[in-house]
Amino acid sequence: MVSKNLALLTLNAALATGGDYAELYVEDTREERMSLDTGKMEYSTHRNTYGAGIRILKGLQSVYGYTSDLSKNGLLSLASSLSLAFEGERLIEVKEVKKRRTPKICPSVNPVIDVPSEEKANCLKAMDKTAREDERIIRTTCTFLSEERKIEIFNAESSVASFFTNEEHHARVIVSATAKDDKNMETSSENYGIHGGWSFFLKECDPIQLAKKAAKTAIALLTAKECPSGKFPVVIGNGWGGVLFHEASGHGLEAAATAKGQSVFSNCIGKQIASPLVTAYDNGVIPNAWGSNNLDSEGIPTKKNLLIKNGICTGYLVDRFNGRRLNMAPNGCSRREGYWYEPTSRMSNTYIAPGKDDPEDIIRDTKLGLYVVNFGGGSVDTATGEFNFAANEAYIIRDGKVEELVKGCILIGTGKEVLMNIDRVGNDLNLGCGFCGASSGSVPVTVGQPTIRVKEITVGGRGGKLQ
Amino acid sequence: MNIKRFFEEAKKDGLEECQIIINKSSSFSYTLYHEKLDNYSVSQSEKMTASGIYHGKYVAASTEKCNNNGLTYLIQTMLDASAVVEKESEIGLFPGSKKYHKRNVYSAEILETTPTFKINLGKRVESLLKQEEGVNDIAEISYSEEDNHSEFYNSYGLHLKDKANDWALVAFVLGKDGERTIDAGDIYFGNSFSSFHPEEFAHKIGEELRKKIGATSYQSGKYPVIIDREVFATFVSSYIRTTSAELVQKHLSPLANHLGEKIASSRLTIEERPLDKTIFHQYFDDEGVATQNKAIIKNGVLTTYLHNRETAKKDGTESTGNAVLAGGKLSVKAGYLKVKAGHTSLDELAKKANKGVYITSIAGYGTGLNPYNGDFSCQAQGFAIEEGKISRPLTLITLSGNLLQLMKDILMLDSRAKLNINAVECPDVLIKKLSIGGE
C-alpha cells in the first residue's frame, strides 16, 4: 500500500520538530455483510475502508491525524501539519526501514472474505430454517460478517524504522429470534466469531445450535416473570458471564484508565483487589480466537498477560503512550477499530481462570439468589468503578435448585466490591464473543469465566422483592 | 474522479438506476491533562456510498478510495451482491422533491477561529474547574470539531449539496466522598464561540460534583420519579424509534396498529424538526427526499409513523423524508426531536411528587431495554425527593419500567427545556410511578 521509501519520508516529516516516536498505520479493509430477514436475504453489501493514521509522540504528548488520501502529497502534508504541533529541533533522522517478522497466532487458510457469497448465504438459510421451526418464532435475522484487514505499520524511535505487515481475517455469525404469543414479544440472540479462515470457522462453529438456542430462549422468555430487585447472592454462568469481569475490572486495568491515577485500580499493582479465589488473564494469543491478533496496533506481538493472581493485582494492559506515564513497557494490547482512531490499551480475550468448584455444587449451596446465564452487555465508569450489565437470561435459585426464568434484570455495583465478594469459582471456564466499544472504537473481544458466585450484588428489576 | 463516467459505466453494466453520496469530512480535536496538551489530532477523509437497482434488486456498497478505482469497486461489488440478495425493490430510486428548504447553518466562525484560541478555551475551563470547591483532579478536558460536506447525485440528474460544522467541549472532574471517588461533567456543543460561557459551564460542573457528596442507595420500591431532561432525551429517542414504519410493518414495534390513537399522556407532544436552524439541520434524506417538520405525537396521539419511500408505498402514503442508508441497508431514522415544554418549574414537579426520586443520570439503558415491548432496567443516580423537596443524593440504584407506560404516566413537564447532543430538546418530566432498586 505504502512503499518503504514513502514511509521513510513520512516518518521524517513527522519527526521534523523533535518528536521522539513516529508511527504510520496503513489499512486496506474489505468487508462483506449479508443479512437474512425471516427467510429472505434482505441485503448484502461490501465496504472498503482505506486510509492511514500518523502518530507522533514527544514525551507525554501525543499528536494524531488520519487521511484517506494515501498519495505522497496526502501523507507528507498530514505528517508536516501534525509536526507543527511541536516546536523543537529534530531528534531522530530515519535512514532505514527494516521489515520485522509477524507471528502467526491466527493463521487464515482460505480467507472467509474470498468464500463465495452463496456458501455464506446457505449457512444463514440453514440457521433461519432451524430458528423458525417453532411457529411462535415470528421473525429471525441471521447475519454473516466477513472481513479482511491488510495492515502495514511503520514506526521509528531511532534511525532504523521498523516495518510490520499483518493480515486479519474475521468471520462472525449472529442469529436473532423473536417469539410472540397473545401477550408478549421477546427476542434472544446468539453469535460466534473467529479470527481465522473458512475451514477453521466450519470446524469450530455450529450455526444450527446457535439458532436452536436463540429460538429456545426467546420462547422461554415469553412466560418469564419480571426479575426481582434488591441485594442478594448471584451465581454467574460461564462464558458470556465474563462480561462481569470485563466491565467491573478489565476496563479499570487498562493503562488508558490507570496511567493518570484516575482509575479505581490505579497504583494497585501488588495489592489485593479481588478475592483470593480470583486469577485473571488478558490473553491475545489464543490461536484463532475472536479477540486474538498476531500483532497489536503498534506492531508489538500480542501476549498472555496475567492481570490478577490469587486476588493480587499483577499488571495492567499497557500501550506505548500510557506506558510512558506508568514507566511500564507496552505488552501487546494496543488496539484500534480502524485507521481513524488513535490506538490505546484495550482488552482482547479476557477471562477469570478456572477454580476448583463443581458448578452444580455452587448452585446447590445457594439458598436464595439469582442464576444469570446470558448477558446483553454493560458499561463502566472507570473513575468511580461503578458498572452495570443487563442479564438476558436469569433464573431464581431457591434451596439450591434452579427454578423459574426471569427477565428485565440489571446488575450494578463497583468493581472492587464485586471482585472481593466472589466466594466460589467453578472449574468450567468458557469464552463468549462480542464487541467492546471505547475510545479507540469498537474492537472484537472475547470475555470468559467459569461459573462464579458473588455473595451480594444489587439487582434491578420490576418483580418486587425476591422470595 | 468522474461522476458522469460512474453513471455511464453503471448503466452499461446493467444497474438500471443508481445514486452516489460523497461525504468529505475534516476534524480537529485535542485533550488537555494538567493544562498541557495531552493529545492533538487532525483529519481529512472522504467516503463514497453508492446504491442502485440491478435486476430489480436494491444493492449498495461503500468505499474510501475516492478515485476512479473506487467507482469501479462500487459498481462491481453492487453487481456481486445482487447474486445473493432476494428482496425485490418495489420503488426504484427517486427523481427529486418539488421543493427543498435548505438553510445555511454552516459557521464561518469555527473556520476563522485559530487553534490557539480553541486550546486556550479548554485551558480556561480547566483553570476555572480547579478553583471549584471539592474538585480534586480533572479527569477530562477535550475539544473536538467536525466539518462535513456531502453531495448527493442520482441517475435522474438530482444533485443536492449540504455542509455543516460544529464544535464540542467535554469536561469531567473528580472529587472524594470519604474513600469513594465521585465524578461530574458536562458537554457543551454548538457552532458559535460567543454563546459559550466558561465560568457558568465550570461552576455548574462543580455544583454537580458537590451535590453528589454523601450519596447512598435507596429503599427498593415503586415511587413517583422526576426524570431530568438529559435523561428524558434518551427515553424520547428510543420511544420515537418505535414509530419507524419499517418496524411497524415487520410487526416489531409495540406501536403497530396505533396510528391516530392516544398512546401517551395528553401532556406529551413530540415533533421532528429537521428544518429548524440548529446544528442538526438536514434538508434531504438519504433517498434525496425533502425533509419536513412534523408532529409525531400530538397531545398524546400518534399522528404519523416515520417513512422512507419503500415503507410509504406499503402503507399507501408519502415518504416523510426519514430514509437513512447505513450498512448497505435502507432504513428509517428520526432527525432533531423537540418535546413541547410545560409552564411549571422543577421545584413544582418535586412538590407534586412529594416522596420519590429525581433521576439525573442513567447507564446501561441501551442493553437494558427490550425494544419490542419497551421494558427496561438500568443503573441510575439522582436524588431523593422528601416532603416535596429535592434532598439527599443517591447512587447505585436501578430504574426499571416500561417505556410505553412511562409516556402514558407523564403527570407534568416543566419549562426547563434543553437541546442535548443527541438532537433531542426536552424538559424535565414527572412520572407517576417507576421501580427503583437499591437496598
Side-chain angles (χ1 to χ4, degrees):
Chain A
M1 292 178 274
V2 169
S3 68
K4 278 187 183 180
N5 190 38
L6 177 54
L8 187 140
L9 292 172
T10 305
L11 293 173
N12 275 328
L15 292 165
T17 53
D20 56 46
Y21 171 84
E23 172 189 277
L24 169 64
Y25 178 92
V26 190
E27 174 181 1
D28 190 351
T29 295
R30 290 187 296 147
E31 180 192 297
E32 182 188 31
R33 173 190 289 258
M34 62 175 75
S35 186
L36 192 78
D37 189 336
T38 322
K40 194 174 258 190
M41 188 65 76
E42 190 175 42
Y43 69 92
S44 166
T45 188
H46 295 255
R47 185 173 79 159
N48 180 207
T49 302
Y50 181 75
I54 297 173
R55 182 165 64 142
I56 315 169
L57 304 183
K58 184 175 182 180
L60 296 178
Q61 287 182 290
S62 150
V63 188
Y64 190 74
Y66 64 86
T67 178
S68 53
D69 178 2
L70 294 193
S71 68
K72 184 176 177 183
N73 186 40
L75 292 177
L76 291 182
S77 71
L78 175 62
S80 299
S81 75
L82 289 172
S83 73
L84 296 178
F86 299 124
E87 287 175 8
E89 295 295 313
R90 177 186 292 280
L91 299 175
I92 299 166
E93 173 85 39
V94 181
K95 295 188 173 152
E96 188 187 352
V97 174
K98 239 181 182 172
K99 179 86 169 67
R100 309 289 183 189
R101 195 182 73 83
T102 300
K104 287 274 177 209
I105 307 296
C106 301
S108 303
V109 183
N110 194 4
V112 184
I113 192 77
D114 293 328
V115 171
S117 302
E118 289 82 351
E119 283 191 46
K120 291 176 254 187
N122 287 339
C123 169
L124 297 184
K125 284 177 180 172
M127 293 170 83
D128 170 78
K129 193 177 167 196
T130 303
R132 287 193 295 131
E133 277 170 0
D134 189 306
E135 61 184 19
R136 286 171 291 180
I137 298 295
I138 57 153
R139 190 196 182 205
T140 58
T141 54
C142 302
T143 304
F144 203 115
L145 302 171
S146 33
E147 177 191 78
E148 174 196 69
R149 286 161 59 87
K150 287 188 174 173
I151 306 296
E152 291 176 349
I153 303 166
F154 300 87
N155 59 28
E157 47 193 346
S158 69
S159 62
V160 181
S162 296
F163 169 37
F164 306 87
T165 57
N166 193 17
E167 279 200 17
E168 302 173 23
H169 294 271
H170 289 105
R172 190 180 193 218
V173 284
I174 307 154
V175 53
S176 172
T178 303
K180 191 170 190 268
D181 63 10
D182 297 344
K183 292 180 191 164
N184 297 312
M185 185 155 66
E186 297 289 345
T187 294
S188 180
S189 299
E190 294 290 329
N191 78 87
Y192 188 78
I194 58 143
H195 181 165
W198 181 236
S199 40
F200 184 79
F201 179 82
L202 292 177
K203 189 177 134 213
E204 294 295 316
C205 180
D206 187 344
I208 300 300
Q209 280 307 316
L210 294 176
K212 279 185 180 168
K213 175 81 171 55
K216 189 180 165 194
T217 308
I219 289 166
L221 283 169
L222 288 173
T223 49
K225 292 180 178 172
E226 296 294 340
C227 182
S229 61
K231 277 189 172 182
F232 35 82
V234 176
V235 176
I236 302 170
N238 67 352
W240 242 107
V243 75
L244 169 87
F245 184 77
H246 179 100
E247 298 297 351
S249 317
H251 280 296
L253 293 168
E254 290 166 344
T258 60
K260 291 174 182 168
Q262 294 173 341
S263 161
V264 285
F265 295 118
S266 290
N267 307 309
C268 273
I269 290 182
K271 293 181 185 167
Q272 185 169 4
I273 60 168
S275 145
L277 299 173
V278 175
T279 292
Y281 295 92
D282 182 80
N283 183 355
V285 292
I286 301 173
N288 292 111
W290 174 241
S292 295
N293 209 337
N294 304 313
L295 293 173
D296 76 356
S297 288
E298 296 176 336
I300 296 172
T302 49
K303 292 182 173 66
K304 180 177 180 180
N305 291 308
L306 178 63
L307 301 175
I308 299 172
K309 188 175 181 185
N310 301 330
I312 308 291
C313 179
T314 53
Y316 297 137
L317 295 167
V318 186
D319 60 291
R320 193 183 295 265
F321 179 56
N322 288 297
R324 289 179 171 203
R325 209 178 286 279
L326 287 167
N327 203 19
M328 292 174 79
N331 50 17
C333 63
S334 181
R335 305 185 71 190
R336 57 179 126 197
E337 179 183 340
Y339 70 89
W340 57 97
Y341 283 106
E342 182 172 4
T344 193
S345 48
R346 302 288 297 273
M347 286 174 268
S348 57
N349 309 300
T350 316
Y351 55 88
I352 295 175
K356 291 178 181 164
D357 284 332
D358 184 327
E360 288 184 11
D361 288 343
I362 297 175
I363 304 258
R364 199 174 296 130
D365 297 342
T366 305
K367 192 164 173 51
L368 185 64
L370 195 68
Y371 175 43
V372 183
V373 178
N374 205 354
F375 297 92
S379 63
V380 66
D381 178 339
T382 54
T384 62
E386 291 180 3
F387 70 86
N388 65 79
F389 59 108
N392 289 345
E393 187 183 353
Y395 301 83
I396 303 296
I397 303 173
R398 279 191 203 88
D399 296 324
K401 286 179 189 154
V402 175
E403 298 200 334
E404 75 268 22
L405 177 67
V406 290
K407 61 185 176 185
C409 321
I410 185 134
L411 277 62
I412 65 167
T414 64
K416 275 191 165 177
E417 194 180 32
V418 165
L419 282 181
M420 295 299 278
N421 277 340
I422 294 174
D423 66 352
R424 302 291 290 268
V425 178
N427 54 14
D428 56 341
L429 172 66
N430 199 6
L431 304 176
C433 308
F435 276 99
C436 169
S439 64
S440 64
S442 178
V443 296
V445 293
T446 56
V447 297
Q449 65 171 46
T451 300
I452 63 165
R453 186 174 73 180
V454 183
K455 271 189 279 187
E456 191 178 73
I457 298 189
T458 301
V459 177
R462 297 194 296 156
K465 201 177 167 191
L466 175 63
Q467 289 171 333
Chain B
M1 194 169 60
N2 190 334
I3 295 294
K4 194 177 162 204
R5 205 181 110 202
F6 167 74
F7 286 112
E8 287 168 3
E9 293 286 327
K11 193 174 179 185
K12 202 168 76 187
D13 286 334
L15 279 153
E16 294 126 33
E17 301 168 88
C18 55
Q19 72 171 46
I20 185 162
I21 301 172
I22 301 174
N23 293 107
K24 293 184 187 182
S25 304
S26 60
S27 69
F28 162 63
S29 64
Y30 69 81
T31 59
L32 296 177
Y33 181 62
H34 293 173
E35 292 180 7
K36 285 187 179 160
L37 267 186
D38 184 41
N39 178 278
Y40 178 98
S41 179
V42 294
S43 76
Q44 294 277 349
S45 62
E46 283 189 58
K47 183 181 177 184
M48 302 193 293
T49 305
S51 54
I53 308 294
Y54 185 73
H55 290 175
K57 295 168 188 170
Y58 182 87
V59 283
S62 69
T63 181
E64 290 166 11
K65 281 188 188 130
C66 291
N67 52 30
N68 289 338
N69 289 341
L71 292 174
T72 305
Y73 169 87
L74 291 175
I75 294 170
Q76 190 53 51
T77 53
M78 283 195 284
L79 298 184
D80 290 347
S82 70
V84 289
V85 172
E86 293 168 329
K87 189 181 162 195
E88 301 286 330
S89 170
E90 294 174 18
I91 40 131
L93 300 189
F94 184 57
S97 295
K98 281 182 188 159
K99 200 171 179 188
Y100 292 92
H101 301 276
K102 184 179 179 180
R103 302 183 79 155
N104 183 13
V105 294
Y106 192 75
S107 163
E109 189 188 344
I110 295 179
L111 283 183
E112 288 160 5
T113 304
T114 63
T116 308
F117 175 90
K118 294 164 185 170
I119 292 167
N120 286 338
L121 193 66
K123 286 183 176 174
R124 169 88 181 123
V125 169
E126 183 171 2
S127 148
L128 288 163
L129 284 168
K130 280 183 173 168
Q131 293 165 32
E132 286 292 323
E133 192 188 333
V135 171
N136 280 4
D137 201 356
I138 309 294
E140 182 179 358
I141 299 285
S142 63
Y143 171 93
S144 61
E145 68 181 44
E146 283 209 349
D147 191 310
N148 296 301
H149 292 239
S150 63
E151 285 198 67
F152 176 104
Y153 300 85
N154 73 15
S155 49
Y156 286 97
L158 184 61
H159 181 199
L160 301 163
K161 285 184 185 181
D162 204 2
K163 60 180 180 177
N165 56 353
D166 58 71
W167 68 273
L169 185 84
V170 179
F172 267 87
V173 298
L174 303 178
K176 280 283 178 192
D177 180 14
E179 284 297 301
R180 197 170 67 91
T181 300
I182 52 174
D183 61 3
D186 201 0
I187 178 167
Y188 180 89
F189 65 95
N191 59 6
S192 161
F193 292 100
S194 53
S195 50
F196 177 62
H197 305 293
E199 292 80 5
E200 200 180 295
F201 180 73
H203 186 60
K204 191 170 155 271
I205 293 172
E207 263 188 346
E208 188 197 331
L209 185 79
R210 290 187 288 276
K211 282 181 181 172
K212 287 185 176 180
I213 293 173
T216 56
S217 188
Y218 201 67
Q219 186 71 42
S220 299
K222 289 190 176 179
Y223 302 95
V225 169
I226 298 174
I227 301 177
D228 182 82
R229 56 198 179 172
E230 297 278 0
V231 177
F232 189 53
T234 306
F235 288 113
V236 170
S237 283
S238 56
Y239 186 57
I240 291 302
R241 268 198 289 280
T242 64
T243 67
S244 154
E246 184 190 9
L247 295 178
V248 169
Q249 289 168 1
K250 287 179 174 173
H251 310 291
L252 297 173
S253 166
L255 294 182
N257 305 315
H258 288 298
L259 191 62
E261 292 178 9
K262 190 159 182 299
I263 57 163
S265 160
S266 53
R267 296 170 183 87
L268 184 68
T269 292
I270 305 175
E271 294 180 338
E272 192 209 18
R273 303 192 64 85
L275 297 176
D276 282 7
K277 199 166 182 179
T278 70
I279 62 165
F280 305 109
H281 173 76
Q282 186 190 0
Y283 77 96
F284 64 92
D285 71 5
D286 284 356
E287 290 185 294
V289 175
T291 59
Q292 51 186 277
N293 288 349
K294 57 195 167 282
I296 303 170
I297 313 285
K298 190 167 185 183
N299 300 328
V301 175
L302 176 64
T303 54
T304 184
Y305 292 127
L306 299 181
H307 286 283
N308 59 28
R309 292 172 55 252
E310 186 184 41
T311 62
K313 185 173 181 195
K314 277 186 192 158
D315 277 7
T317 184
E318 296 291 317
S319 168
T320 52
N322 290 95
V324 63
L325 176 57
K329 182 177 179 288
L330 202 55
S331 192
V332 170
K333 191 182 174 191
Y336 160 49
L337 298 169
K338 187 171 183 175
V339 179
K340 191 177 169 190
H343 301 287
T344 188
S345 65
L346 179 59
D347 287 344
E348 285 298 315
L349 263 53
K351 197 173 166 186
K352 174 87 175 170
N354 192 38
K355 180 177 166 54
V357 175
Y358 170 37
I359 299 291
T360 53
S361 78
I362 56 172
Y365 175 73
T367 49
L369 171 71
N370 179 335
Y372 305 114
N373 60 22
D375 288 345
F376 69 86
S377 286
C378 57
Q379 180 188 346
Q381 285 189 344
F383 297 86
I385 303 169
E386 290 163 332
E387 295 176 356
K389 291 202 168 122
I390 294 168
S391 60
R392 61 192 170 90
L394 304 175
T395 190
L396 283 178
I397 54 173
T398 62
L399 178 72
S400 307
N402 178 278
L403 184 60
L404 306 181
Q405 192 60 43
L406 182 154
M407 296 297 175
K408 286 177 185 165
D409 288 347
I410 292 174
L411 296 177
M412 288 169 89
L413 300 97
D414 69 16
S415 57
R416 245 172 38 109
K418 187 185 173 194
L419 175 59
N420 89 347
I421 199 152
N422 296 317
V424 182
E425 182 177 329
C426 63
D428 309 302
V429 293
L430 171 62
I431 309 298
K432 198 170 158 189
K433 262 180 189 174
L434 284 168
S435 293
I436 299 292
E439 290 165 351

